[in-house]
Amino acid sequence: MSDKLKILIVEDEMLIGANISLQLNELGYEVTGLVPRGEDALKHIENQLPDIMLLDINLKGDLDGIETAIEMQKKHNIPIIYLTANTDDAHFNRAKETKPYGFISKPFKKLDLQRTIELTINQMDSKGKKSAEIESQNNNSFLLSDCIFVRHLNSMIKVDIKDILYIEAERNYCRIFSNSKEYLVVMSLKEMDDKLPSKHFLRTHRSYIINLSQIKEIAATHVVIGNKALPVTKSLKEELLKRIQTI
């Protein structure tokens, strides 16, 4: 299963759409689909929910881009970035009612696309995305209630919280160890501890936060997660045992 940010492109000029898809792939994002009509976009969403929609305002067909957004928002809360070659007040005011996360005017550069997507992730909390509690630190990571977005090369990679094994302090950074990879995040362990859901995570040592559901063994002075023994401070051992009983 891919951990990349998923983006749906809704664009009726297929050459433009294909170029956008190529740019998104180069930036490290996953394109879930390229569809030319609003009706097609609504069907696509029911089968594969994207994280973000890039939506052309001036779609041909029964629904233009703004009408597509209105229909989508009756069931879903997917962040919208509008693509438009028409920036007149009438279109802007109609589009504004759907509370988009951004506008990209055609023609645009790859950097415009990249920055708008990253700003969209950063705005999710203030725009009220359901189930999202997003914090940013130096534009390097974005923490949600069920996942964390971390920067990798030129893109943001999504790591599901349930897949995190443990987190280790590294000066003013945190190193996140997941089932398959590890990531370095510009955030202190204390900040990470404050933001992670306490139901699943516990700071057992000044240098470690563990995912309680990933524990394989509990010993007198440590726990085993994966193939690693992680220290448990004596004062936190009782709390650890209490929390294990409630999982």
Side-chain angles (χ1 to χ4, degrees):
M1 187 177 204
S2 174
D3 57 1
K4 295 180 180 180
L5 190 79
K6 297 176 174 61
I7 301 176
L8 171 63
I9 304 168
V10 189
E11 168 62 67
D12 56 13
E13 295 185 51
M14 297 311 287
L15 283 177
I16 293 176
N19 183 48
I20 294 170
S21 180
L22 178 62
Q23 291 184 40
L24 291 175
N25 285 322
E26 289 174 350
L27 290 169
Y29 300 114
E30 178 181 338
V31 176
T32 66
L34 169 55
V35 297
R37 299 284 185 271
E39 302 90 320
D40 299 330
L42 296 175
K43 290 177 183 176
H44 179 94
I45 288 167
E46 293 308 314
N47 295 318
Q48 189 172 10
L49 201 65
D51 296 307
I52 292 174
M53 284 180 67
L54 288 177
L55 183 57
D56 184 16
I57 286 183
N58 300 302
L59 293 175
K60 301 178 179 69
D62 294 335
L63 300 173
D64 67 13
I66 299 168
E67 291 165 338
T68 300
I70 292 169
E71 287 301 310
M72 178 275 290
Q73 289 172 344
K74 290 177 181 178
K75 291 184 178 181
H76 304 286
N77 194 31
I78 303 166
I80 298 165
I81 298 171
Y82 281 121
L83 307 171
T84 180
N86 189 340
T87 55
D88 64 48
D89 289 344
H91 280 83
F92 178 77
N93 289 330
R94 280 184 63 220
K96 194 167 62 173
E97 293 300 313
T98 63
K99 297 180 172 57
Y101 284 65
F103 289 83
I104 302 179
S105 296
K106 301 176 187 176
F108 55 85
K109 298 177 182 178
K110 184 177 177 180
L111 185 60
D112 298 329
L113 191 62
Q114 179 182 354
R115 286 178 174 171
T116 304
I117 290 170
E118 292 191 12
L119 285 172
T120 295
I121 297 170
N122 197 20
Q123 290 179 59
M124 286 178 183
D125 183 44
S126 60
K127 294 280 188 174
K129 183 180 179 185
K130 292 178 182 178
S131 302
E133 296 173 1
I134 302 172
E135 297 290 342
S136 66
Q137 193 65 223
N138 295 337
N139 286 330
N140 191 75
S141 65
F142 303 93
L143 185 64
L144 287 74
S145 62
D146 59 352
C147 64
I148 185 168
F149 283 93
V150 296
R151 184 179 298 283
H152 180 66
L153 301 178
N154 289 323
S155 63
M156 303 298 289
I157 303 295
K158 181 166 69 175
V159 181
D160 288 337
I161 281 179
K162 62 181 174 57
D163 291 333
I164 295 173
L165 300 175
Y166 62 92
I167 302 164
E168 183 177 1
E170 192 168 308
R171 296 183 182 177
N172 293 324
Y173 297 79
C174 284
R175 192 171 292 278
I176 299 173
F177 293 84
S178 72
N179 284 310
S180 57
K181 295 180 182 178
E182 62 180 76
Y183 306 91
L184 190 64
V185 178
V186 184
M187 185 181 293
S188 71
L189 197 68
K190 183 181 184 305
E191 290 170 318
M192 182 69 75
D193 189 31
D194 289 340
K195 292 170 173 55
L196 285 168
S198 58
K199 179 181 178 182
H200 302 292
F201 291 88
L202 177 67
R203 187 169 182 176
T204 56
H205 184 271
R206 60 187 176 85
S207 298
Y208 293 97
I209 296 171
I210 65 169
N211 185 341
L212 298 170
S213 65
Q214 298 283 358
I215 295 175
K216 290 184 176 180
E217 178 186 335
I218 300 177
T221 60
H222 66 272
V223 295
V224 176
I225 294 179
N227 296 315
K228 187 173 177 68
L230 303 169
V232 178
T233 303
K234 187 176 180 180
S235 61
L236 291 168
K237 183 69 175 293
E238 185 178 343
E239 176 65 17
L240 170 63
L241 294 174
K242 186 189 302 181
R243 295 278 296 281
I244 287 294
Q245 293 171 11
T246 62
I247 292 179

